[in-house]
């Protein structure tokens, strides 16, 4: 009896400790872990398809009143239609009985629906008047209200249908504008990233359970030898895996938000012309007057399926004009923040001797773009513009010489006036952007959110706390594991005290 009371005391203490540690408040904590919806029993409805005229619009409702709405608006006096089966019906106003449209209705009984609740979909014609009439009719059904932004997905998360990383993947998929973004978002929505974090979380729970059990029961010789050694190995393995995961050069985040590509160089080198050529429209003013561009001009592009945010900047030079000086300052600042810089050079101003031209370009990178003492060549592309002004012999000789020079970033010879060399330049640009983003379908899943990185860094630091206090104070070491587990739980949205206690009583034959 006394031992049973001790077990219950440990369970209560562990639950209180986990629920009051840094993380979500206790009520929300238990609701997320146990899959209990935090919302009330209201039924929500909204237009799920895009706004504007379209052939078919989808209106979705979710909640206990969904069946009532389906019966009174689709004229179903008896049984509901078979689950997930389209039924062609007249859609009527439940109060006036006026026929609003004729379309398909689908019934999704709980728990086999997107939200885990009773749900219904109305597939109607996509005219604005039809959509408005059906939405108003749904609003007249007792217990129904318009959904708030993201509320359907929130209910799906609270019902355990989607993990938090999967929810974020769904949001990224909806907003994906390029093929690579679609692939990455679809991979995350499939749960691959969430499964990785859940595996780490499960291993941390086991580590914490073993440490807590050792603290409470080791003196009674109820814990087998070597338990802490297993924890030590697990913590080291997790640290190594997390460190490798964090050293991804932000490829996933870059792919999600777009590669920052900056066009920089001296005045009148053809930077704005290059911008206009790439985006196929007059996005920037082109003028023979030096210093025309004084602010950042941005445009979004799709380069071979990868998202690029292209920025044109002010010409880098000393100027007595206070406005131009500010433009130059912003240009240098943007170059420092860029993932890739296109250094545009007026090839007609290069020395005629190919070797001297190569020496000039090396000096040019150091003097005009003083971001570092030794610029990383993989962050730059040298774009020699205005090659139409060079004799063909000089152009060929220059190209051959520059290919043999080491220490230079990739060099592309183009003419924005004639588009000569543009296709080769686009091939090199695409290759550079692809390297920066990586292949979203190969290798381990990558970090896609800045918040994931922040929580993982906190998790890594907490595991270091375990190792720091392992031989000094085991309680403080256990707190490090607990903090690591909480940080991971903030990524996935799930971390439960009961799971840790279950492992304690499952893995150890305590009290036998």
């Amino acid at each position: 009896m006394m031992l049973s009371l001790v077990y219950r005391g440990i369970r209560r203490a562990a639950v209180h400790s986990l629920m009051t540690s840094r993380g979500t408040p206790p009520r929300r904590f238990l609701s997320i872990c146990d899959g209990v919806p935090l919302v009330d029993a209201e039924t929500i409805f909204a237009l799920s398809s895009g706004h504007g005229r379209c052939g078919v619009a989808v209106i979705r409702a979710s909640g206990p009143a969904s069946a009532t709405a389906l019966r009174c608006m689709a004229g179903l006096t008896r049984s509901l239609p078979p689950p997930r089966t389209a039924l062609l019906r007249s859609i009527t106003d439940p109060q006036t009985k006026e026929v609003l449209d004729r379309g398909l209705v689908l019934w999704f009984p709980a728990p086999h629906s997107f939200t885990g609740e009773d749900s219904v979909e109305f597939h109607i014609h996509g005219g604005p008047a039809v959509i408005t009439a059906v939405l108003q009719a749904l609003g007249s059904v007792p217990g129904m209200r318009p959904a708030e932004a993201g509320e359907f997905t929130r209910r799906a998360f609270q019902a355990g249908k989607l993990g938090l990383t999967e929810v974020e993947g769904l949001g990224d998929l909806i907003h994906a504008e390029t093929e690579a973004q679609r692939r990455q978002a679809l991979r995350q929505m499939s749960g691959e990233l969430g499964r990785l974090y859940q595996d780490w979380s499960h291993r941390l729970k086991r580590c914490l359970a073993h440490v807590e059990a050792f603290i409470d029961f080791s003196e009674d010789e109820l814990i087998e030898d070597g338990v802490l050694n297993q924890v030590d190995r697990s913590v080291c393995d997790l640290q190594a895996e997390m460190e490798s995961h964090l050293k991804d050069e932000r490829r996933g985040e870059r792919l999600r938000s777009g590669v920052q590509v900056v066009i920089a160089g001296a005045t009148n080198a053809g930077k704005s012309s290059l911008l206009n050529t790439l985006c196929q429209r007059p996005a920037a003013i082109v003028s023979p007057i030096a210093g025309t561009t004084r602010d950042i001009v941005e445009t979004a592009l799709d380069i071979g399926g990868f998202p690029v945010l292209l920025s044109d900047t002010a010409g880098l030079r000393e100027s007595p004009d206070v406005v131009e000086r500010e433009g130059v300052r912003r240009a240098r600042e943007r170059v420092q923040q860029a993932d890739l810089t296109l250094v545009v050079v007026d090839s007609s101003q290069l020395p005629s001797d190919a070797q001297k031209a190569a020496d000039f370009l090396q000096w040019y990178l150091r003097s005009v773009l003083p971001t570092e003492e030794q610029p990383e060549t993989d962050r730059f592309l040298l774009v020699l513009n205005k090659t139409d002004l060079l004799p063909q012999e000089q152009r060929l000789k220059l190209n051959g010489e520059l290919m043999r020079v080491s220490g230079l970033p990739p060099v592309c010879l183009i003419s924005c006036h004639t588009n000569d060399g543009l296709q080769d330049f686009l091939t090199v640009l695409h290759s550079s952007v692809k390297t920066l983003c990586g292949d979203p379908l190969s290798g381990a899943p990558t970090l896609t959110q800045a918040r994931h990185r922040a929580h993982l860094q906190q998790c890594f630091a907490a595991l270091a706390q375990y190792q720091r206090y392992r031989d000094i104070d085991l309680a403080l070491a256990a707190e490090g594991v607990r903090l690591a587990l909480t940080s991971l739980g903030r990524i996935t949205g799930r971390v439960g005290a009961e799971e840790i206690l279950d492992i304690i009583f499952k893995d150890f034959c305590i009290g036998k």
Side-chain angles (χ1 to χ4, degrees):
M1 181 67 178
M2 180 60 70
L3 191 56
S4 177
L5 290 174
V6 170
Y7 288 166
R8 287 201 294 271
I10 293 171
R11 181 177 289 271
R12 284 197 300 270
V15 170
H16 176 76
S17 175
L18 279 162
M19 289 174 58
T20 55
S21 63
R22 293 190 301 177
T24 51
R27 180 175 298 175
R28 177 172 177 80
F29 181 92
L30 289 177
S31 297
I32 290 177
C33 294
D34 300 338
V36 179
L38 299 177
V39 295
D40 52 23
E42 289 181 315
T43 300
I44 57 175
F45 64 90
L47 175 66
S48 292
S49 53
H51 292 274
R53 289 184 179 86
C54 54
V56 177
V58 178
I59 293 177
R60 174 188 291 170
S62 178
S66 297
T68 302
L70 179 57
R71 282 192 175 97
C72 65
M73 292 184 63
L76 300 172
T77 56
R78 297 183 181 178
S79 61
L80 292 168
R84 295 169 295 280
T85 301
L87 185 65
L88 180 63
R89 302 292 295 182
S90 293
I91 313 297
T92 61
D93 188 302
Q95 294 183 340
T96 67
K97 305 305 179 183
E98 176 190 358
V99 176
L100 305 176
D101 192 22
R102 187 165 174 80
L104 299 176
V105 295
L106 290 95
W107 168 241
F108 301 91
H112 304 295
S113 68
F114 175 70
T115 60
E117 305 173 318
D118 286 346
S119 300
V120 62
E121 288 184 359
F122 298 89
H123 294 216
I124 59 177
H125 293 97
V130 178
I131 294 172
T132 300
V134 174
L135 289 174
Q136 288 177 347
L138 282 170
S140 67
V141 176
M144 300 191 70
R145 64 169 175 81
E148 298 177 359
E151 194 168 1
F152 283 94
T153 306
R154 185 182 182 89
R155 290 192 178 192
F157 166 68
Q158 290 166 346
K161 294 289 183 176
L162 293 173
L164 200 53
T165 55
E166 294 167 35
V167 168
E168 291 169 324
L170 175 59
D172 289 346
L173 184 62
I174 292 172
H175 293 97
E177 296 182 346
T178 71
E179 183 66 13
Q181 285 178 322
R182 179 193 65 78
R183 290 173 178 172
Q184 176 172 274
L186 194 61
R187 186 180 184 185
Q188 181 172 333
M189 196 185 76
S190 70
E192 191 171 350
L193 188 64
R195 286 191 293 273
L196 173 65
Y197 296 153
Q198 286 292 356
D199 174 64
W200 289 350
S201 181
H202 176 74
R203 290 157 64 184
L204 280 175
K205 289 171 192 172
R206 186 173 295 276
C207 289
L208 181 58
H210 289 188
V211 174
E212 294 283 6
F214 186 87
I215 292 173
D216 291 327
F217 300 110
S218 61
E219 293 182 359
D220 299 326
E221 297 183 353
L222 296 172
I223 301 298
E224 60 188 32
D225 295 334
V227 166
L228 288 185
N229 291 334
Q230 294 177 14
V231 174
D232 293 342
R233 287 193 295 270
S234 295
V235 168
C236 287
D237 290 344
L238 281 167
Q239 281 187 306
E241 292 176 31
M242 289 181 188
E243 186 176 21
S244 175
H245 188 58
L246 286 166
K247 289 181 178 179
D248 64 342
E249 299 180 352
R250 300 183 182 271
R251 287 192 295 269
E253 296 166 73
R254 192 179 286 131
L255 177 55
R256 180 175 178 267
S257 58
V259 181
Q260 299 283 338
V261 178
V262 175
I263 303 174
T267 56
N268 270 5
K271 300 184 301 298
S272 297
S273 297
L274 178 60
L275 176 77
N276 293 345
T277 300
L278 290 175
C279 66
Q280 296 293 296
R281 62 185 178 88
I285 298 174
V286 175
S287 166
I289 301 174
T292 302
T293 302
R294 297 190 173 195
D295 207 349
I296 308 295
V297 180
E298 293 182 338
T299 186
L301 294 178
D302 180 344
I303 303 293
F306 292 90
V308 167
L309 185 62
L310 187 64
S311 301
D312 183 23
T313 60
L316 302 177
R317 67 171 183 176
E318 297 295 331
S319 173
D321 189 304
V322 64
V323 177
E324 188 175 357
R325 284 204 305 272
E326 174 62 19
V328 172
R329 186 195 68 78
R330 294 187 182 187
R332 294 190 184 280
E333 182 179 63
R334 185 60 63 94
V335 168
Q336 291 176 346
Q337 299 168 354
D339 298 313
L340 180 66
T341 302
L342 307 180
V343 184
V344 183
V345 181
D346 183 350
S347 60
S348 65
Q349 303 297 318
L350 291 174
S352 56
D353 181 76
Q355 180 57 51
K356 291 182 179 179
D359 295 340
F360 170 83
L361 290 174
Q362 289 178 322
W363 167 85
Y364 189 83
L365 280 175
R366 291 191 297 268
S367 62
V368 179
L369 303 172
T371 56
E372 308 168 49
E373 291 184 3
Q374 293 294 330
E376 298 178 17
T377 56
D378 58 350
R379 287 188 53 212
F380 296 92
L381 288 182
L382 271 171
V383 183
L384 307 189
N385 190 26
K386 304 184 182 181
T387 55
D388 56 297
L389 302 179
L390 298 179
Q392 184 177 4
E393 182 181 351
Q394 181 182 349
R395 187 165 63 246
L396 294 174
K397 188 176 180 181
L398 178 63
N399 189 36
E401 183 66 33
L402 293 178
M403 289 179 64
R404 291 192 294 270
V405 176
S406 61
L408 277 181
V411 180
C412 300
L413 278 68
I414 70 166
S415 170
C416 291
H417 179 65
T418 65
N419 289 337
D420 184 44
L422 186 63
Q423 193 57 50
D424 292 338
F425 164 69
L426 288 174
T427 300
V428 175
L429 177 60
H430 173 257
S431 177
S432 299
V433 170
K434 184 176 181 180
T435 300
L436 289 169
C437 293
D439 186 349
L441 296 182
S442 67
T446 57
L447 288 161
T448 61
Q449 303 267 353
R451 76 171 196 89
H452 295 176
R453 186 175 299 278
H455 291 318
L456 281 176
Q457 288 171 340
Q458 292 171 2
C459 181
F460 188 83
L463 291 180
Q465 176 179 326
Y466 168 82
Q467 293 187 331
R468 187 163 60 251
Y469 291 103
R470 161 66 168 81
D471 298 321
I472 301 174
D473 189 326
L474 203 54
L476 289 176
E479 182 63 18
V481 180
R482 185 178 292 110
L483 292 176
L485 183 58
T486 301
S487 297
L488 266 183
R490 287 173 179 156
I491 299 177
T492 62
R494 304 180 189 281
V495 55
E498 289 296 322
E499 297 177 62
I500 297 168
L501 296 167
D502 288 343
I503 294 173
I504 291 179
F505 288 88
K506 177 182 177 183
D507 282 8
F508 301 102
C509 300
I510 298 173
K512 279 190 176 180

